[in-house]
Amino acid sequence: MNTVILTIIVLLFIGFALGMHVAIALGMTALVAGVVFIGPIWDFFGQIPWNTTSSATLIVVPLFILMGELLLRSGITEDLYTTFAKWMHRLPGGLLHTNIAASGVFSAISGSSVATAVTIGGVALPSLNKRSYDERISLGSLAAGGTLGILLPPSIILIVYGLMAEVSIGRLYIAAVVPGLIMMAAFAVVIVVRVATRPEVAPRDSEVSYPLREKLAGLVNILPALALILLVLGTIYGGIATAIEASAFGVTGAFVIALLKRKVSLKMLSDCFITTASTTGMVMLIMIAAFLLQFVLAFTGIPAAITRYVVSLGLTELQLVLLLCLIYLFLGMFMESMAMMVTTLPLILPLLNSMGVDLVWFGVILVIMIEVSLITPPVGMNLFVLQSLRRRLAGPRASGSIVDLYVGAFPFVIAMLAVLLLIILLPDLAMFLVETMKGSG
């Protein structure tokens, strides 16, 4: 048993150290470990990918991705940021609050953390620099706001988790709504406290005033997208539609919005379809590799052995969840988010089931831990993409190291851990909407 575990760890380490794609590293590990410790497994390596990709539930992956692509190319990003900036410019922190609000809404469109950070960052950074906002807090708020992309529906990470854990994606989406809103509120508190102690980090633009008519006109521009998001979640919550059906509503609505904004063209649709196919293919490949590794692990009895050992320790459900959070906090410093999740889930799901842990509730906790990993060094993906964006926008005058992002993101990491503790101690914050929703979602 120890030899099997050591071999799998070494193979995974080699794969990730060599910079292999997550799916390649997982698949290679499953293949080598399977052949060495099980024997000829070729039949299983044909059957498992087929069973994985033939599930009707997987339809939500390309549909939600396509919905986000259509809305993104309808020009919603600039409208979002401009509208929120007009409504929030008098708040202490001004555009910093706009970063969080725009990221939150865009997250409910894209389902991707990196896409949210880059897209909102591309619109926000020129405005923030023009108004002399402190770079560290500006970049930190954008990095933190970007993490909402994997917590708020239609999160791709939640879809993968739901398929691997065999829980309702609709229930996961509804469970993530309130924690996502609490997270946005916590980020706002960080900004208010920071600005209260150091007002110079966010200069107030007191001379600028926007008439109410102009503010309302901005709301009209983003109202269709907000209505579509509410429609998708509302139909799931009300039991009117499953996640699959809601994703179809979303694509149809997104296409109509793009049509009304006169953004639809053959080039636009071609870009949407190509990006959707590319992202879907990546997600599918990762899932196939994860299920192959899950099969090898289960066949060799590793998850069962881990379950027996942890159960023998006599841990309570709370102690187990806190222990797993510490493990994920450590792993998140060195592993990419998707890799961390799909590598560890085959090991911990049997343990969670044996301890009676609600997998929907734990899914929210896990995604928050993945959020933390996105803005903690040394492998904080959002930090790296924003540093790259920062240098690209600055051009030859580029200056400032990634340490600025580490410092700027730190207060938001503390806020995320506080929200995590709140969700752990008060599970109803995540689960009360799930318990009142109609249907299975």
Side-chain angles (χ1 to χ4, degrees):
M1 182 70 69
N2 292 337
T3 305
V4 180
I5 295 173
L6 182 62
T7 302
I8 289 174
I9 291 173
V10 170
L11 288 171
L12 287 172
F13 177 79
I14 291 173
F16 293 136
L18 291 176
M20 291 183 179
H21 188 276
V22 176
I24 303 301
L26 293 176
M28 177 200 71
T29 300
L31 178 61
V32 173
V35 170
V36 172
F37 297 107
I38 299 175
I41 54 174
W42 317 119
D43 290 343
F44 295 107
F45 270 55
Q47 183 180 353
I48 291 171
W50 169 254
N51 292 339
T52 301
T53 55
S54 60
S55 170
T57 309
L58 281 172
I59 295 173
V60 301
V61 177
L63 288 180
F64 274 129
I65 293 171
L66 181 56
M67 182 188 84
E69 289 299 319
L70 287 167
L71 287 174
L72 175 60
R73 286 172 170 79
S74 71
I76 191 68
T77 311
E78 291 79 7
D79 291 341
L80 270 177
Y81 199 84
T82 303
T83 299
F84 283 127
K86 289 175 181 177
W87 283 93
M88 298 182 169
H89 79 287
R90 289 193 178 277
L91 293 176
L95 290 181
L96 300 178
H97 292 291
T98 303
N99 292 346
I100 302 302
S103 295
V105 176
F106 188 81
S107 296
I109 292 171
S110 71
S112 164
S113 174
V114 171
T116 301
V118 170
T119 305
I120 300 300
V123 177
L125 281 176
S127 298
L128 291 162
N129 292 334
K130 182 181 178 181
R131 290 167 174 77
S132 301
Y133 275 66
D134 179 77
E135 262 200 311
R136 288 182 170 180
I137 188 70
S138 298
L139 291 165
S141 66
L142 288 168
T147 65
L148 296 167
I150 61 169
L151 179 59
L152 293 171
S155 163
I156 302 302
I157 288 278
L158 279 176
I159 293 176
V160 175
Y161 173 85
L163 292 168
M164 292 191 69
E166 298 182 348
V167 296
S168 163
I169 293 170
R171 291 172 68 84
L172 282 169
Y173 277 178
I174 297 302
V177 171
V178 173
L181 295 175
I182 294 174
M183 191 72 74
M184 291 176 67
F187 292 161
V189 170
V190 169
I191 292 168
V192 169
V193 171
R194 182 68 169 165
V195 173
T197 53
R198 289 189 58 198
E200 69 274 11
V201 301
R204 300 195 73 165
D205 207 352
S206 55
E207 296 181 3
V208 177
S209 178
Y210 299 101
L212 182 60
R213 178 177 295 181
E214 189 176 339
K215 292 181 179 180
L216 293 176
L219 286 179
V220 171
N221 289 331
I222 66 171
L223 199 57
L226 295 176
L228 180 61
I229 294 166
L230 292 175
L231 173 68
V232 170
L233 291 177
T235 52
I236 294 174
Y237 179 75
I240 299 170
T242 64
I244 297 173
E245 293 160 346
S247 64
F249 291 155
V251 170
T252 305
F255 178 75
V256 171
I257 290 172
L259 205 60
L260 293 174
K261 285 178 170 284
R262 299 182 180 180
K263 298 289 185 179
V264 176
S265 66
L266 288 177
K267 175 69 167 58
M268 179 264 207
L269 291 176
S270 174
D271 290 343
C272 286
F273 294 148
I274 289 172
T275 304
T276 298
S278 174
T279 307
T280 301
M282 178 197 70
V283 172
M284 295 287 195
L285 197 59
I286 290 173
M287 286 192 55
I288 289 170
F291 276 107
L292 289 173
L293 183 60
Q294 187 178 49
F295 164 76
V296 171
L297 290 170
F299 200 96
T300 54
I302 293 174
I306 292 174
T307 299
R308 286 194 299 271
Y309 174 73
V310 175
V311 169
S312 70
L313 296 177
L315 298 178
T316 65
E317 179 181 314
L318 177 60
Q319 290 171 332
L320 172 64
V321 170
L322 290 173
L323 175 62
L324 290 175
C325 286
L326 289 175
I327 293 172
Y328 276 116
L329 186 62
F330 173 75
L331 291 177
M333 295 179 182
F334 307 99
M335 292 183 73
E336 189 269 337
S337 55
M338 183 72 82
M340 180 173 70
M341 184 179 76
V342 298
T343 304
T344 56
L345 277 181
L347 294 171
I348 68 169
L349 284 174
L351 174 60
L352 294 170
N353 280 318
S354 71
M355 295 287 286
V357 176
D358 189 309
L359 293 183
V360 173
W361 172 63
F362 184 78
V364 175
I365 292 171
L366 175 57
V367 170
I368 293 175
M369 290 308 306
I370 293 174
E371 283 188 302
V372 173
S373 74
L374 289 169
I375 58 172
T376 49
V379 191
M381 183 61 70
N382 281 15
L383 303 180
F384 283 106
V385 297
L386 281 171
Q387 174 69 359
S388 175
L389 177 66
R390 173 196 195 187
R391 290 185 174 276
R392 189 171 78 244
L393 292 175
R397 300 176 293 102
S399 63
S401 74
I402 198 169
V403 174
D404 292 334
L405 282 108
Y406 295 161
V407 175
F410 182 74
F412 295 97
V413 172
I414 300 301
M416 294 168 82
L417 292 175
V419 173
L420 173 69
L421 186 60
L422 196 63
I423 301 300
I424 291 174
L425 297 178
L426 300 172
D428 284 346
L429 288 175
M431 298 305 296
F432 82 92
L433 282 180
V434 177
E435 290 165 359
T436 57
M437 69 184 287
K438 297 179 181 178
S440 61

